[in-house]
Amino acid sequence: MLISEHNLKKTLQKILLQAGSDEYEADLVSDHLVRSNLAGHDSHGAAMLPIYIKNISAGVLVPSMGARLVSNDGSIMVFDGQRGYGQRVAAEAMDAAISRCKETGLVLMTLRNAHHIGRIGTYGEQSIAAGLVSLHFVNVIDHAPLVAPFGGRDARLSTNPICIAIPATGENPPVLLDMATSRIARGKALVAMNKGEQMAEGLMLDSSGEPTTDPAVMFQEPGGALLPFGEYKGYGLALICELLAGVFTGGGTIQPGNPRLGGIVNNMFTFLVDPGRLVDHDWMQQEVDAVIRYVKDSPPAAQGVPVMVAGDPERSRMAERSLKGISIDDATWNAILAAAESVGLSRSFL
Ligand code: NAD
């Protein structure tokens, strides 16, 4: 089915409110999910809501919970998400870090113990809107690992995303690199399974460590494993996320000595920098534009497919989906309706 962003947001908002969120949180979380769908990251869009509702009843996600400032020492800010909606606690921690960065020019902000913070690009967009550069390293814990280390046959890490955000210039929109360190995010396997599609080759292993294209292996017991992108380089970055976001936030890594309650907990290690404290503003803009122009001028490898920079694919999908609507497959829509019923809403109410 095709649904407008407005109607999808209203539907998600109703369910979130009924499931214990206040108005502000329901608005923020539904907006994040719908914008993920608009950006083309359906894996981090409305399809996550049924999981959130299940996690509330399991006690591993706490609605209407804000971020707690644990330590506030000049340019270092440490937050605890208290298992609140990640979209909320991460936005709050980012807001505080952005205000501080305007004073200090540089902030290291850590956030631990947040329920799923969703599409990390959202937080890059927050710093971009404030004219700041940001770098985000994230790990994912509280459930079994999903990603095999390079050279291994089973999962030992998670999809540990990295996001780096560079503000827009007069000529160019922002550069927003926002990526899992696995070849694909796990949610992409869920979306493919829901649609009855096979995955491309080289993305995952089955439970015996053999290559497979069947997304269902990621949702079976014993499960398969996603592969890291870029072989040992992606694996190296995934491990760095585990160390930066797992150890230095205090949130913990995916090693099996830590609790696994079956939720989705993200820890995020974030640097924010005011570029105006580093270089002349006009020179910076000219140089950013010049290098983007130079890169994009490379002759296309495939006829009619121009070179893009990070953030371009999301912008073009957003323009298209805002106009045409968001496509939601039947399995995802039925899961959303079942989640609504589980919190006492009737299907006709939606
Ligand atoms: P992706 O592979 O679709 O895109 C990764 C990056 O590459 C993006 O910045 C995109 O703009 C850029 N890109 C894509 N095609 C390009 C091209 N042809 N030329 C230039 N740049 C291009 O994204 P992904 O790795 O599947 O991640 C999807 C989402 O999942 C992200 O938003 C990420 O934050 C999120 N995620 C979240 C978690 C979590 O625990 N919260 C875990 C993993 C991933």
Side-chain angles (χ1 to χ4, degrees):
M1 60 179 276
L2 270 182
I3 182 165
S4 71
E5 61 181 278
H6 175 80
N7 288 345
L8 182 58
K9 186 174 168 184
K10 286 280 161 233
T11 301
L12 302 181
Q13 253 173 333
K14 277 183 201 161
I15 302 172
L16 287 159
L17 283 170
Q18 187 75 11
S21 290
D22 49 38
E23 298 267 353
Y24 150 76
E25 182 173 278
D27 181 64
L28 205 145
V29 176
S30 57
D31 192 67
H32 179 118
L33 296 176
V34 171
R35 287 181 62 78
S36 297
N37 283 114
L38 286 174
H41 294 298
D42 294 332
S43 53
H44 289 68
M48 288 306 295
L49 189 79
I51 299 170
Y52 296 169
I53 301 302
K54 182 172 74 59
N55 286 355
I56 292 171
S57 50
V60 291
L61 163 57
V62 185
S64 292
M65 179 63 79
R68 184 168 69 87
L69 184 56
V70 177
S71 147
N72 185 11
D73 183 12
S75 57
I76 298 187
M77 304 180 90
V78 176
F79 286 90
D80 189 321
Q82 310 187 93
R83 279 192 184 257
Y85 274 104
Q87 289 87 349
R88 171 187 183 155
V89 295
E92 289 174 352
M94 281 297 297
D95 271 342
I98 287 167
S99 305
R100 179 63 52 80
C101 191
K102 298 273 174 147
E103 295 164 25
T104 60
L106 174 69
V107 168
L108 169 58
M109 182 277 279
T110 68
L111 171 67
R112 65 183 178 228
N113 203 19
H115 189 265
H116 191 234
I117 64 176
R119 179 179 162 253
I120 315 303
T122 310
Y123 314 110
E125 284 164 357
Q126 255 181 285
S127 60
I128 283 168
L132 302 175
V133 170
S134 66
L135 293 84
H136 311 258
F137 300 86
V138 179
N139 81 331
V140 199
I141 56 170
D142 209 31
H143 56 66
L146 301 170
V147 178
F150 179 72
R153 288 178 81 89
D154 70 357
R156 301 287 161 137
L157 294 164
S158 200
T159 50
N160 297 358
I162 292 175
C163 173
I164 300 175
I166 313 283
T169 64
E171 193 178 305
N172 281 290
V175 175
L176 184 60
L177 178 67
D178 172 27
M179 49 173 247
T181 47
S182 48
R183 291 283 314 267
I184 53 160
R186 180 176 181 253
K188 294 216 161 119
L190 177 66
V191 171
M193 185 176 75
N194 284 347
K195 288 182 178 168
E197 291 171 356
Q198 290 289 299
M199 308 297 296
E201 286 185 10
L203 302 181
M204 52 181 69
L205 305 174
D206 66 19
S207 58
S208 49
E210 297 300 325
T212 181
T213 57
D214 179 5
V217 301
M218 293 310 302
F219 306 95
Q220 293 163 352
E221 267 310 318
L226 302 173
L227 288 168
F229 86 93
E231 304 191 322
Y232 52 85
K233 297 181 184 180
Y235 156 55
L237 285 174
L239 185 63
I240 288 296
C241 284
E242 206 59 62
L243 296 171
L244 291 180
V247 178
F248 301 125
T249 65
T253 68
I254 199 157
Q255 59 93 359
N258 284 324
R260 288 181 185 164
L261 303 181
I264 313 170
V265 167
N266 281 137
N267 303 300
M268 179 162 75
F269 184 92
T270 294
F271 284 112
L272 286 147
V273 188
D274 181 351
R277 307 276 191 117
L278 299 171
V279 287
D280 174 73
H281 180 265
D282 291 345
W283 178 85
M284 172 183 72
Q285 296 232 333
Q286 282 163 27
E287 199 60 16
V288 169
D289 288 337
V291 74
I292 290 177
R293 204 178 309 124
Y294 181 61
V295 168
K296 285 192 162 183
D297 270 354
S298 178
Q303 193 71 28
V305 185
V307 170
M308 294 187 281
V309 297
D312 285 345
E314 285 75 12
R315 274 187 288 274
S316 68
R317 286 191 293 251
M318 196 165 278
E320 190 190 333
R321 290 182 176 200
S322 300
L323 209 66
K324 292 188 182 157
I326 295 164
S327 163
I328 304 274
D329 63 82
D330 289 348
T332 300
W333 187 244
N334 283 329
I336 292 170
L337 294 180
E341 282 178 333
S342 77
V343 294
L345 291 172
S346 76
R347 288 182 179 226
S348 57
F349 183 67
L350 295 171

